[in-house]
Amino acid sequence: MTTASPATVASAMAEAAVAWRETLDDEQRAEGVWRWPGSRAADVERVRWYYTPTDHGGLTLHEQLPHQQRAAMRLLATGLSEPGYVSAAMIMGLENVLDRTEGFTAGFERDRGRDPGMYYLRVFGDPAGDAPWSWRFGGHHVSVHHLVVGGEAVAGSPCFLGADPMASPLLGGRELRPLGGVEDSARDLLHLLDADQRARAVLTPRAAPDIVGGNRVRPRPGDRVIPLADLWRGHFAQELEDRMWAMHDGLEHQLGVDDADREATELTAAPRGLLAADMDERQRAQLREVLETYIGRMPPGLVERERARFDGDALDGVGFAWAGGAERGEPHYYRLQGPRLLAEWDNTQRNVNHAHSVWRDPGHDFGLDLLGDHLSEHHA
């Protein structure tokens, strides 16, 4: 039995990408397959990413025939673990649930604002060749990126998964919570801390209304939450943009967030919160469980590389920071930060039933360090 490796993962990605590309007609290829970035505009496009229900760039699923959709999903599956792929597929299906929640109305200047077909795939470069190539799959609450260089899958971040609704009722009194482990494992860690540790871990009793790094290409110290209206590609009509600003301001007002809270949760060069070096063995084991809900999104062959970066004492430099309430149902935010690590979570919107989570590898996202620092900075 062959052990999975970055090379075998890259081979599977290439096979799936070529198979998908071969199903496309010329018009579809113009949207779905771009040459490897050779211009400033193309460089900027490769590193654009979103988690809002906007145009992510590429060919949408609903612009594809069923066999093409199957090929697109096959490519997505090569870039995620089985739990990661199942979670992403469930999140895409939640668009139908969210549509019902919102009364099956049109929105976002589209006939169907909540649309499980509005997920975009774009391949950059030639997956059958020897030169670098990459692919991006994204839509509302899903954003997956991979870069292949020298026949190896070398960068798989940012990787974003969200859920709206975060929890949904099922028959028999059961509950659907696609990201329940991402939320619960961190809360379990918070409850393992003693009073002194908790005082260091909790940055503020009021939650940040969104992930603080947002969809920036390079999160930096001093970054604060990006207002909702600024997260989108381009701009909407003034009426809709005004409504988004009102939603953002209303959420901050509801949470009680003031400038002191924004400062408390802003990104910093050194991790805020409680470092793993100051945790006991049980707490460190729980921190590893939280970390696994992020790096465990990567497929076999890649996840081992990511885990190894935090083996043993390498975990010491990871900080755990929390903001907001400590019990389920209370608005909250947390992050893990350390060398080449920024993992963020929030569940504050829609009465604490709308969650975001992202795993990032600062400096290595999109493989920017491997490809040089010539790619342009972009944020929405």
Side-chain angles (χ1 to χ4, degrees):
M1 181 176 179
T2 303
T3 302
S5 68
T8 59
V9 172
S11 178
M13 288 179 179
E15 181 182 352
V18 169
W20 176 69
R21 184 182 65 183
E22 293 307 305
T23 71
L24 306 180
D25 60 31
D26 290 343
E27 185 176 351
Q28 290 174 316
R29 283 197 187 200
E31 284 297 319
V33 182
W34 283 22
R35 281 190 253 174
W36 181 252
S39 68
R40 182 181 179 87
D43 284 347
V44 169
E45 176 60 26
R46 190 183 78 85
V47 298
R48 287 182 193 265
W49 75 283
Y50 302 88
Y51 52 91
T52 45
T54 186
D55 176 3
H56 285 229
L59 188 67
T60 64
L61 290 178
H62 63 24
E63 293 172 317
Q64 302 176 48
L65 296 171
H67 70 285
Q68 297 172 320
Q69 296 173 7
R70 182 182 67 232
M73 295 304 289
R74 177 189 172 200
L75 176 55
L76 176 62
T78 66
L80 293 170
S81 63
E82 183 176 0
Y85 177 79
V86 170
S87 298
M90 291 174 67
I91 290 162
M92 293 166 66
L94 283 179
E95 291 295 279
N96 287 313
V97 180
L98 184 54
D99 207 9
R100 180 182 188 274
T101 298
E102 296 181 338
F104 296 106
T105 57
F108 310 113
E109 300 179 351
R110 299 196 300 257
D111 287 341
R112 189 177 186 192
R114 306 301 186 179
D115 188 348
M118 194 67 73
Y119 287 82
Y120 299 74
L121 176 59
R122 178 168 281 160
V123 171
F124 297 87
D126 181 8
D130 296 326
W133 69 280
S134 67
W135 60 274
R136 176 184 69 203
F137 184 96
H140 187 213
H141 283 163
V142 175
S143 191
V144 176
H145 305 255
H146 279 282
L147 171 69
V148 175
V149 177
E152 292 193 356
V154 295
S157 62
C159 185
F160 181 100
L161 297 174
D164 184 8
M166 169 59 187
S168 307
L170 296 174
L171 295 174
R174 298 301 190 267
E175 192 176 45
L176 176 66
R177 295 178 72 219
L179 300 179
V182 190
E183 177 175 313
D184 296 346
S185 60
R187 184 178 293 108
D188 289 346
L189 174 57
L190 183 69
H191 286 307
L192 284 177
L193 305 182
D194 63 31
D196 176 67
Q197 289 173 313
R198 184 180 286 208
R200 293 154 66 188
V202 177
L203 306 178
T204 167
R206 286 163 293 279
D210 201 342
I211 55 173
V212 178
N215 62 335
R216 297 175 172 94
V217 174
R218 297 182 182 91
R220 291 191 171 102
D223 284 343
R224 297 184 178 186
V225 169
I226 300 174
L228 178 61
D230 289 342
L231 286 172
W232 299 67
R233 180 188 292 258
H235 295 280
F236 290 106
Q238 192 63 49
E239 180 182 357
L240 181 54
E241 189 164 339
D242 289 345
R243 191 175 61 152
M244 290 184 177
W245 273 104
M247 289 170 62
H248 174 81
D249 292 341
L251 179 59
E252 283 205 327
H253 178 74
Q254 178 184 336
L255 296 171
V257 171
D258 60 21
D259 204 56
D261 300 312
R262 298 184 193 100
E263 182 179 2
T265 57
E266 72 180 20
L267 296 185
T268 52
R272 279 180 164 165
L274 181 69
L275 290 176
D278 297 322
M279 298 181 185
D280 64 28
E281 286 307 309
R282 185 182 177 197
Q283 294 164 344
R284 288 168 67 90
Q286 186 62 36
L287 176 61
R288 290 191 185 279
E289 285 196 26
V290 184
L291 184 58
E292 183 66 18
T293 67
Y294 292 92
I295 62 176
R297 301 169 188 201
M298 292 296 98
L302 301 186
V303 70
E304 298 85 356
R305 178 181 67 198
E306 303 306 329
R307 288 190 188 120
R309 295 199 293 113
F310 303 99
D311 281 349
D313 292 343
L315 188 68
D316 287 352
V318 174
F320 171 63
W322 184 279
E327 304 304 326
R328 183 177 170 187
E330 297 178 337
H332 62 284
Y333 161 90
Y334 76 80
R335 70 173 173 251
L336 309 181
Q337 185 179 355
R340 285 185 50 187
L341 172 67
L342 178 61
E344 293 189 273
W345 164 273
D346 78 271
N347 188 2
T348 60
Q349 302 175 38
R350 208 180 292 278
N351 296 316
V352 199
N353 199 24
H354 177 165
H356 301 144
S357 73
V358 66
W359 169 61
R360 307 204 59 170
D361 186 348
H364 188 66
D365 285 339
F366 310 102
L368 291 177
D369 56 329
L370 299 175
L371 297 172
D373 202 33
H374 66 283
L375 296 184
S376 300
E377 172 84 12
H378 168 79
H379 63 82

